Amino acid sequence: MKNANTTSYKDRLSRHIDAYLSLVTSHPKVRLSEFESLVEYAQINHALKILEAPSEGRVLEQLCPAAFIDRADFLKIKASEYADKVLVTDWSLANINNSHYDAVLALAPIHHANSVEKTQYVSGAYKALKPNGVLAFGEVESGSSLHRFLDEFIHKHSCSGHVGQYPSADFTSVIEDAGFNHVSSDNKLSYWCFESADFLYHYLTQLFALKPMTKMFLLDSVHAYLGISENNGQLSINWPLRFYRGVKANI
């Protein structure tokens, strides 16, 4: 049963999904480190058919230039660069072709899902993959500094709120129960990178639909929760994720 305190994917993003995707598409370098960690952990080194669900911009094209990439999301995307290019699906990845993909990749796909929906997502990915296909995703880990940042600071200051149900290391058992082999999980520290403090303020305000606040308050809060480093005028926010990987059995 759904936790009444959890912000659903629809509640979190339905009011600004198009602005969200426009932002991440226009500024792919901000989250490049996250995607590099994802692709590295997935261990995919050849041309593939990849499914990204939910959709997070177009960074994968830079890292997997020979791959054919499809995208699905749990909401209808209206933005012109995405309209009719992102398949609408649900937590079970309905409407996705079975045994079609070499990899299902995602960043933070399931923390707005309840426990049943999380299981549906993993089982749906298993069905979508070819034999020997790889499921790999990065998620906010339960109890982490990023968990606290999202559910305390972002929840308090976002117009849409933000409370998630975050997986832990033992989520590997759910992946194994879905039929995956060679299941693994590990923490990796990625970074969100910004060319200036002004851009960091603009990006986070738009991405999380934040209520009005001063730039200094936002910067101080992010630094207190996650840490911000500066190098030659460039700012980097620590963005720790737990990554998961499983391989579909070769039946």
Side-chain angles (χ1 to χ4, degrees), residues 4-19:
N5 294 323
T6 301
T7 308
S8 71
Y9 189 88
K10 180 179 179 180
D11 290 342
R12 173 73 188 97
L13 283 170
S14 60
R15 287 182 290 179
H16 73 294
I17 183 66
D18 293 308

Side-chain angles (χ1 to χ4, degrees), residues 72-90:
D73 205 274
F74 310 125
L75 295 170
K76 174 64 178 175
I77 311 301
K78 298 178 181 179
S80 59
E81 63 268 38
Y82 279 94
D84 302 322
K85 297 177 183 177
V86 178
L87 183 67
V88 179
T89 189
D90 58 21

